[in-house]
Amino acid sequence: MGLKHQTCRTSSSSANLLSTRFSTILTTLAFLFTSIFMFISSLGRQHQPLSFAGQTSYIGDLRDARFPWNKLCFGPTSERLKLAVFSKTWPAGAAPGGMERHASTLYHALAVRGHEIHVFTVPSDRKQHSDIHDGNLHVYFAANDHGSVNCSLAFEIFNKIDRNEAFDYVHTESVSLPHWRAKMVPNLAVTWHGIWYEIMHSKLFEALFSNPNGIRFFSSYKQHICISNSASEVLVNIYQLPQRNVHVILNGVDNTKFVQDPEVGARFRRRYGISVERSNVVMGVAGRLVRDKGHPLLYESFSLITKRYPGVCLLVAGAGPWGRRYAELGPNVKVLGALEPSELSEFYNAIDVFVNPTLRPQGLDLTLIEAMHCGKPVLTPNYPSIVGTVVISDEYGYTFSPNVKSLVEALEMVITDGPHVLRKKGTACKEYAISMFTAAKMALAYERFFLCMKNNIYCQYPLPTDC
């Protein structure tokens, strides 16, 4: 209890990994080498893209699985777990980001299944909030003066609860528990998400150059969960982590909230003055309207499209500096501002195709999955994390290279196909999303993972209770 309260920061420790005078060169080499590796890996998957869809007839140890655990059908269990979770943020206020929406969805689902969940985090709006105690779910807000997680304070609360009755397992989302803290926890798994995967990826690559015998960072985390196949391949093939310590569990969303409903979509269109007769194709983009989400790319590309196809409409949902720029494009663009979570399903139902122009190559954006559950095809960059997991064939949408020429060509393909083809692709997207990207399948996979880590019996598949 007498520990000095420390902020959870990864940058200070990473500075010691390598002399700063080499960091720029090594980071450049890291991204170059990784890009080549991922490109080759994605080519290797293209000859059998449809093998990823649906369930698989796997028999054996789950730790040897080379595919997402979401593909399996896990049965009920009577064993209850006590889990500790360190998460960077927890949803609070309007329009929370994907990371905190994922955390809320997963741990609510596990708590409903009877597991005792204790989350150590901060509110996403960085304001003062009371701790949450909702049945089996307990959320403790431990913030520093800047609104980030106060590591020492979070650990004080964690240790107090652990002393009362030890946790079965500890889970850290997006490396929110830094490695110098993680090494003190015996049973720990880390899940790699989006931007934090990218940040740590570049820093760890520098360490790989300086220490060919391995990276001490990884020894602090016993198990690694990836949200895409490509991230798993990097950890195993580049960082040389043991295959049995790397597992793929895909993100899922609450498919009772994101549902296909044409009538809701039609009302949403009327609310914002979108004429069905005038607009032959309605596109949509959602999220933070900032540069690294790819909005400069979409802005320039769509400005060219509107000159050639005046009947095309773009709905922009979100807040950020690029909202004002989109408004400059005239009546073809409707800037809606930040939508409440309850409005997102209405938004997806109002469009014909969902566009994700992100410039981040490692994440698995929830907006893609949400749109697919609402029966919409997607238009997205051809990053390995996406084409190897979400848009595994052109049956589910369109991909492009992250440049204006390629995006314009993809947008023209969408317009040429028209609403009829887009509806057909959307139906395929919905079926695929239900088979892979639901909150229930994600929660069952995580539940089985934690049970497997606690007791080897649960590592066998199928068990008599599995379907």
Side-chain angles (χ1 to χ4, degrees), residues 8 11 28 41 58 60 72 97 135 194 206 239 259 274 333 370 377 384 387 394 412 419 423 427:
C8 285
S11 58
T28 303
S41 297
Y58 179 75
L72 300 172
E206 294 176 7
Y239 296 124
V259 296
I274 301 169
V333 178
E370 293 166 352
V387 297
D394 58 11
E412 289 183 325
R423 282 193 294 270
T427 299

Side-chain angles (χ1 to χ4, degrees), residues 123-395:
S124 60
D125 60 6
R126 299 193 173 222
K127 297 179 181 179
Q128 287 280 66
H129 290 268
S130 300
D131 293 345
I132 299 170
H133 299 283
D134 181 14
N136 291 320
L137 179 64
H138 308 274
V139 182
Y140 307 90
F141 295 123
N144 60 21
D145 294 338
H146 304 289
S148 301
V149 175
N150 184 322
C151 242
S152 294
L153 178 57
F155 242 68
E156 285 181 11
I157 305 171
F158 165 81
N159 285 327
K160 181 179 179 180
I161 300 171
D162 187 60
R163 283 194 297 268
N164 184 49
E165 182 185 353
F167 287 106
D168 292 308
Y169 218 78
V170 180
H171 185 210
T172 170
E173 297 277 7
S174 269
V175 201
S176 53
L177 190 63
H179 67 88
W180 63 88
R181 287 284 187 182
K183 65 184 178 183
M184 295 185 254
V185 181
N187 299 316
L188 175 69
V190 56
T191 295
W192 297 83
H193 289 279
I195 183 61
W196 275 97
Y197 177 85
E198 300 165 38
I199 292 172
M200 295 306 300
H201 182 57
S202 60
K203 293 176 180 177
L204 292 173
F205 216 115
E206 294 176 7
L208 188 65
F209 275 97
S210 65
N211 182 13
N213 295 322
I215 301 175
R216 288 179 296 174
F217 169 91
F218 285 117
S219 62
S220 297
Y221 304 97
K222 307 306 178 186
Q223 301 291 331
H224 299 258
I225 300 173
C226 300
I227 63 170
S228 70
N229 282 343
S230 63
S232 171
E233 291 169 358
V234 169
L235 293 184
V236 173
N237 296 327
I238 293 183
Y239 296 124
Q240 297 295 299
L241 268 65
Q243 179 70 61
R244 273 199 155 203
N245 290 10
V246 180
H247 322 276
V248 181
I249 300 179
L250 308 179
N251 289 343
V253 301
D254 187 345
N255 56 304
T256 65
K257 295 180 179 178
F258 297 97
V259 296
Q260 187 173 18
D261 191 332
E263 292 185 6
V264 166
R267 288 199 300 270
F268 193 92
R269 286 192 181 193
R270 289 194 295 270
R271 187 191 315 168
Y272 290 97
I274 301 169
S275 170
V276 177
E277 292 76 16
R278 182 178 180 275
S279 302
N280 52 4
V281 173
V282 178
M283 304 179 183
V285 61
R288 291 186 296 113
L289 307 182
V290 294
R291 177 176 295 275
D292 63 347
K293 289 291 187 178
H295 291 288
L297 174 62
L298 179 58
Y299 173 88
E300 184 174 350
S301 301
F302 195 77
S303 65
L304 297 173
I305 285 293
T306 54
K307 296 175 183 177
R308 307 175 193 175
Y309 306 93
V312 176
C313 182
L314 176 66
L315 299 185
V316 181
W322 279 87
R324 294 189 299 273
R325 297 293 306 277
Y326 279 120
E328 298 171 358
L329 295 179
N332 293 75
V333 178
K334 302 285 185 180
V335 181
L336 312 179
L339 298 179
E340 294 289 339
S342 60
E343 296 178 294
L344 280 174
S345 183
E346 300 175 16
F347 163 78
Y348 292 128
N349 275 284
I351 62 179
D352 295 310
V353 62
F354 180 74
V355 184
N356 181 3
T358 183
L359 298 179
R360 294 176 175 175
Q362 301 300 342
L364 188 59
D365 202 319
L366 292 184
T367 55
L368 292 172
I369 299 171
E370 293 166 352
M372 293 173 79
H373 273 291
C374 293
K376 304 301 174 180
V378 296
L379 173 61
T380 182
N382 56 1
Y383 300 134
S385 59
I386 296 175
V387 297
T389 304
V390 181
V391 189
I392 58 175
S393 81
D394 58 11
E395 181 183 10

Side-chain angles (χ1 to χ4, degrees), residues 102-119:
H102 156 78
S104 177
T105 299
L106 173 58
Y107 300 115
H108 271 100
L110 287 173
V112 168
R113 293 187 60 79
H115 304 294
E116 184 180 336
I117 312 296
H118 297 263
V119 183

